[in-house]
């Protein structure tokens, strides 16, 4: 807490009152299924975003983003919140403040002006949900400061609404919900329709290794939103509310007349839901070979049917898979078009895999990998700063 407290005092000349903290996430399996009302299996990671906050007596919100190298500040009025087309990070803050202001009004309360400092270590642009971590850290700090009485699920929904309606990314709720409600040392099997979650323990003797490909992603640039449109079009063709309601048998039996691209998108989602449920069951039964096979099949589906991988990511997955020799699982994780891969591997293989990737990946791609070792962390929280 002390570093962000010092930053706050240096920038605003006063002490913060509240600290909100929220983790990033990694998804073991279940990609692009959340906005199709399907199933996902993520966990929170040991990297988080913090928001130190103090109310002020004005109608103005002043923000300092400590991790930004330029455009580090923002300043806006609570009754005139509009998007900033020039500085992208500001829209997550503005959008969340707007969503929380509306939520407060629904509860007969009103936000006041705030000063806040943002600081964190979730890698940006790597598919580890730095945006959701920011949204939930903000939500927890503001919820506590104004005693709004929001539940973790409430705050997750507000984070998704911020992305969908203010930032312009039509994401599902997975990132926000796992950041809001994760259990330490566990993955969460999330039903993205009912928002029911079930804890799935990480297997003893295994580690999660996230490898950042250093191919930077850009979900708001259109491809993510296009995939959602394609999925919704396929669901409409089959006459179901969402692709979660479609079986593989129905998918193949009624495919005549559906264009080939939409069929592949639907095939990924339908099969990915089945893989995710099967993976959770296999983890509970400690059937690790089944888990590894499902992770491999998931990557193949993302590459061939959903077409969200890139050559460097595919090369990285192949390098890790060769090094694991069937003793671990690996796949791309996140929205796609760059970012990270995730491997579930025995403790003893951690260093050999890192050594292999450190040599082979730069040789094949000219890019330098970044290794992120993590456990499964707890979800977001807020606490007073005394």
């Amino acid at each position: 807490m002390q570093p962000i407290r010092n930053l706050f005092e240096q920038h605003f000349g006063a002490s913060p009152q509240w600290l909100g903290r929220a983790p990033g996430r990694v998804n073991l399996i279940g990609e692009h299924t959340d906005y199709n009302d399907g199933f996902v299996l993520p966990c929170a990671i040991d990297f988080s975003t913090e928001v130190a906050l103090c109310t002020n007596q004005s109608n103005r919100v002043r923000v300092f983003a400590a991790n930004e190298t330029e455009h580090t500040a923002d300043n806006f009025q609570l009754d005139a919140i509009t998007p900033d087309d020039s500085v992208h990070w500001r829209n997550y803050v503005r959008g969340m403040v707007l969503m929380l202001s509306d939520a407060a009004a629904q509860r007969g309360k009103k936000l006041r002006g705030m000063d806040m400092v943002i600081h964190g270590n979730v890698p940006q642009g790597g598919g580890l949900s730095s945006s959701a971590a920011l949204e939930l850290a903000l939500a927890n700090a503001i919820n506590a400061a104004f005693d709004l009485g929001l539940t973790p699920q409430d705050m997750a929904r507000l984070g998704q609404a911020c992305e969908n309606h203010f930032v312009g990314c039509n994401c599902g709720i997975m990132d926000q919900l796992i950041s809001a409600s994760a259990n330490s040392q566990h993955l969460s099997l999330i039903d993205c329709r009912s928002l029911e979650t079930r804890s799935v323990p990480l297997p003893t003797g295994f580690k999660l290794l996230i490898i950042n490909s250093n191919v930077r992603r850009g979900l708001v640039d259109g491809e993510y939103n296009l995939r959602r449109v394609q999925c919704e079009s396929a669901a409409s063709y089959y006459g179901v509310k969402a692709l979660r309601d479609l079986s593989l048998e129905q998918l193949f039996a009624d495919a005549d007349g559906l264009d080939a691209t939409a069929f592949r998108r639907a095939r990924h989602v339908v099969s990915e839901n089945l893989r995710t449920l099967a993976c959770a069951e296999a983890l509970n039964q400690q059937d690790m070979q089944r888990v590894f096979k499902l992770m491999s099949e998931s990557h193949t589906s993302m590459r061939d049917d959903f077409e969200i991988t890139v050559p460097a990511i595919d090369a990285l997955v192949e390098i890790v898979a060769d090094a694991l020799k069937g003793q671990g699982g690996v796949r791309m994780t996140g929205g796609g078009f760059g970012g990270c891969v995730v491997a579930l591997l025995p403790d003893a293989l951690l260093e050999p895999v890192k050594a292999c990737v450190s040599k082979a990946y730069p040789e094949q791609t000219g890019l330098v990998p970044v290794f992120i070792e993590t456990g499964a962390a707890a979800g977001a929280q807020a606490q007073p700063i005394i």
Side-chain angles (χ1 to χ4, degrees), residues 218-284:
L219 296 186
V220 188
D221 292 339
E223 289 292 342
Y224 189 105
N225 293 345
L226 174 61
R227 293 305 185 281
R228 182 161 187 166
V229 169
Q230 291 167 334
C231 290
E232 290 170 350
S233 175
S236 177
Y237 171 85
Y238 283 102
V240 294
K241 179 182 178 182
L243 288 177
R244 180 254 182 77
D245 301 306
L246 193 65
S247 69
L248 276 177
E249 292 76 16
Q250 290 172 301
L251 174 74
F252 284 98
D254 301 331
D256 290 346
L258 182 66
D259 76 82
T261 299
F263 174 80
R264 291 197 304 275
R265 305 297 188 252
R267 182 168 58 186
H268 165 74
V269 173
V270 174
S271 61
E272 186 79 345
N273 277 323
L274 295 173
R275 284 187 290 270
T276 302
L277 293 170
C279 190
E281 181 181 1
L283 283 166
N284 280 322

Side-chain angles (χ1 to χ4, degrees), residues 24-48:
R25 69 96 187 95
V26 65
N27 192 26
L28 189 72
I29 195 168
E31 227 62 77
H32 286 262
T33 49
D34 57 346
Y35 57 79
N36 289 291
D37 283 359
F39 299 93
V40 293
L41 190 61
C43 69
I45 60 175
D46 296 324
F47 296 80
S48 62

Side-chain angles (χ1 to χ4, degrees), residues 26-27 126 128 209-213 299 312-318 320 330-334 338-343 357 370 372:
V26 65
N27 192 26
L128 300 178
L209 176 63
I210 303 165
I211 309 173
N212 191 336
S213 69
H299 184 82
I313 285 284
D314 294 332
L316 182 53
V317 167
E318 289 180 12
V320 175
V330 60
R331 62 185 285 277
M332 189 204 78
T333 186
C340 295
V341 308
V342 60
V357 171
V370 175
I372 303 167

